[in-house]
Amino acid sequence: MHLKAVRDRIRALELQYQRPVGSVRLLAVSKACSVEQILAAAAGGQVDFGENYLQEAMTKISQLDSRHLTWHFIGPVQSNKTRSIAQHFSWVHSLDRTKIAVRLDRHRHTLSLPPLNVCIQVNLDGETTKSGIAPEKVMEFAAQFAQWPALKLRGLMSLPRPLSRLEDQRLQHRLMRRLFDSLVDAGYKLDTLSMGTSNDMEAAIAEGTTLVRIGTALFGKRPNRVDNID
Ligand SMILES: *Cc1c(COP(=O)(O)O)cnc(C)c1O
């Protein structure tokens, strides 16, 4: 487990790109990790953990219940999973449909829990099969949050297609930053730009991310698996 190395790297990149120290939050993406690996990270002071698959996450969350960890759902949300997600997670980064927002809001309200923190997932690449909404639809979606008091809109999330060159990655992230700024300019009180993974952390920090979602660089390479099996 490379928690210290990842933290040091984030601090070094904050300095390199004139970002305030501590302005980039680390979300440890623990999909495919064991409870023991999560415990090791928690012992090192890591609090925020991200999971993609509900069944897998629920097993871990129930075993780690007493630890006061903060769980972030970052995978595609299916409507029949919204109740469990609203119950067991503090954050959803991957919100991209009105129907899902309505359901998460209703469940969170019924459970009498504090508002669920959410990010709107944006699809920059325009591939219709991918998760996320088109950049030009984001403003309209954000305006609907007034109807969902049990959801707290915190910002935007992206998972761009993998590119190898830093400059190309920075262009992708710059578009997200501009979109984020345009929402802030429109009056939305946002504090979270969830972008950057092991492969493009530098580009994301250079372009103003506030939260990086790191799996591989922390826990090592995951075994291959079929996606979205929930
Ligand atoms: C798996 C995953 C990550 C982490 O990716 P790594 O390359 O392992 O750092 C980040 N975000 C999402 C949405 C993911 O599914």
Side-chain angles (χ1 to χ4, degrees):
M1 212 254 309
H2 310 290
L3 184 59
K4 185 173 185 308
V6 170
R7 279 195 187 135
D8 289 348
R9 175 102 176 108
I10 291 173
R11 292 298 163 261
L13 290 168
E14 285 172 346
L15 289 175
Q16 184 181 341
Y17 291 101
Q18 282 96 46
R19 301 284 314 277
V21 171
S23 59
V24 179
R25 180 169 171 179
L26 171 61
L27 176 62
V29 176
S30 48
K31 64 182 175 205
C33 286
S34 64
V35 166
E36 289 69 30
Q37 285 174 294
I38 296 172
L39 279 173
Q46 181 64 29
V47 173
D48 293 295
F49 290 89
E51 289 281 342
N52 296 55
Y53 309 102
L54 182 65
Q55 289 318 319
E56 179 190 333
M58 295 287 290
T59 310
K60 297 175 192 172
I61 292 172
S62 62
Q63 291 179 59
L64 293 161
D65 218 9
S66 58
R67 296 277 162 170
H68 303 293
L69 304 177
T70 302
W71 294 97
H72 300 241
F73 195 83
I74 62 172
V77 183
Q78 295 164 11
S79 53
N80 62 338
K81 305 285 164 65
T82 47
R83 189 174 200 287
S84 296
I85 290 171
Q87 184 170 4
H88 297 287
F89 287 81
S90 300
W91 284 74
V92 172
H93 290 235
S94 40
L95 186 64
D96 62 0
R97 280 189 288 158
T98 301
K99 180 184 164 194
I100 298 295
V102 167
R103 296 178 69 110
L104 288 172
D105 175 68
R106 188 183 343 118
H107 291 308
R108 195 78 179 177
H109 176 78
T110 311
L111 291 157
S112 302
L113 290 167
L116 181 66
N117 300 293
V118 300
C119 293
I120 297 173
Q121 184 172 355
V122 182
N123 177 0
L124 284 178
D125 304 321
E127 301 160 32
T128 48
T129 53
K130 252 183 70 175
S131 304
I133 67 174
E136 60 272 18
K137 297 266 168 66
V138 169
M139 196 64 84
E140 189 185 321
F141 193 32
Q144 292 187 269
F145 277 74
Q147 314 160 47
W148 304 316
L151 301 184
K152 185 168 171 55
L153 180 60
R154 298 290 296 263
L156 303 179
M157 181 275 226
S158 70
L159 183 63
R161 91 196 123 96
L163 294 172
S164 50
R165 288 180 54 231
L166 179 68
E167 273 316 306
D168 297 335
Q169 295 174 353
R170 285 190 65 163
L171 274 173
Q172 293 175 320
H173 293 316
R174 201 169 305 152
L175 293 173
M176 280 296 291
R177 180 73 215 194
R178 288 200 187 127
L179 192 56
F180 180 83
D181 289 343
S182 68
L183 285 168
V184 172
D185 290 345
Y188 293 98
K189 304 250 179 306
L190 307 181
D191 60 7
T192 304
L193 185 50
S194 169
M195 64 181 191
T197 65
S198 299
N199 176 52
D200 59 355
M201 177 166 81
E202 175 170 356
I205 291 176
E207 298 299 338
T209 187
T210 73
L211 181 150
V212 289
R213 306 181 310 269
I214 306 295
T216 310
L218 269 177
F219 298 112
K221 204 172 175 313
R222 290 177 292 274
N224 289 334
R225 66 171 292 163
V226 182
D227 269 355
N228 306 340
I229 52 162
D230 263 358

